[in-house]
Amino acid sequence: MGSKGIEIVGMDVKEVIDLLNKAYADEWLAYYQYWLGAKVVKGPMKDAVITELTEHANDELRHADMVANRIIQLGGVPILQPKQWYDFTNCGYDAPENPFVEEILKQNIKGEQCAIDVYKSLIETTHMKDPVTYNLALQILEDEVEHEEDLQGLLEDLEILIKK
Ligand code: FE
Ligand code: FE
Ligand code: MG
């Protein structure tokens, strides 16, 4: 950790680390939800959905990496125990118990909408106080907005297909 880099944070560093650890738990759970969803999904447009879910899984893992790096940079420790992901998560985990494409898409859209709220809130909390975390949250928010749009686009196409 760099001392000057921490000194410029104009808010409680512990609070930033806690918020980042909550987002970190979300990212791992989102990663697993997408990764497993891509394995079990069934139904029309399956191939297009698998491609998108797999891309998003990779993005969520990359977000977990970005968030962990920032936690460490601030002198914190990323959640060490996976079982603690459930204690910290904002958005939870939706098991893909019903593997039908429509249900998988809806679960993941709900997850993205939660992620958008989480990063929007982190942007507001760190605005003018912690520019590095602000910038990180902004970069991730851009991805989450794209994820929601991609999934809603697939759901629209699916609805056209199954209602014809
Ligand atoms: Fe993410
Ligand atoms: Fe996402
Ligand atoms: Mg996408």
Side-chain angles (χ1 to χ4, degrees):
M1 65 171 134
S3 52
K4 185 68 180 175
I6 291 176
E7 198 186 301
I8 61 159
V9 176
M11 59 182 290
D12 183 6
V13 174
K14 171 87 170 54
E15 186 194 341
V16 182
I17 292 168
D18 285 348
L19 292 171
L20 287 169
N21 255 324
K22 289 175 72 59
Y24 181 68
D26 290 333
E27 294 293 356
W28 271 107
L29 292 169
Y31 165 72
Y32 190 67
Q33 189 174 313
Y34 273 122
W35 182 88
L36 189 59
K39 303 280 178 212
V40 301
V41 68
K42 286 191 170 85
M45 294 174 46
K46 194 177 94 158
D47 290 346
V49 172
I50 290 174
T51 302
E52 202 64 51
L53 297 177
T54 304
E55 275 178 23
H56 291 194
N58 292 335
D59 287 340
E60 308 309 0
L61 190 58
R62 183 170 49 80
H63 295 162
D65 184 77
M66 292 162 75
V67 173
N69 288 342
R70 182 61 183 150
I71 291 169
I72 291 165
Q73 205 170 48
L74 287 168
V77 180
I79 296 169
L80 297 173
Q81 287 287 352
K83 67 183 175 192
Q84 283 195 296
W85 292 342
Y86 273 100
D87 303 328
F88 281 77
T89 182
N90 301 289
C91 300
Y93 171 75
D94 256 348
E97 273 151 13
N98 176 351
F100 186 61
V101 269
E102 190 175 19
E103 186 56 31
I104 298 270
L105 287 171
K106 283 180 177 167
Q107 283 180 331
N108 286 300
I109 288 167
K110 191 171 130 239
E112 292 298 341
Q113 289 174 342
C114 180
I116 289 169
D117 279 335
V118 167
Y119 288 105
K120 169 72 163 44
S121 160
L122 190 57
I123 281 169
E124 285 169 359
T125 307
T126 56
H127 181 61
M128 305 293 278
K129 292 179 189 140
D130 178 354
V132 177
T133 301
Y134 175 90
N135 183 53
L136 172 93
L138 186 58
Q139 284 180 54
I140 297 177
L141 179 64
E142 286 178 18
D143 288 344
E144 310 302 14
V145 166
E146 189 184 310
H147 288 171
E148 185 207 25
E149 188 193 10
D150 290 344
L151 299 180
Q152 285 183 336
L154 284 168
L155 187 60
E156 268 177 40
D157 291 350
L158 180 72
E159 278 164 358
I160 291 166
L161 191 72
I162 60 186
K163 276 165 196 168
K164 78 174 174 194

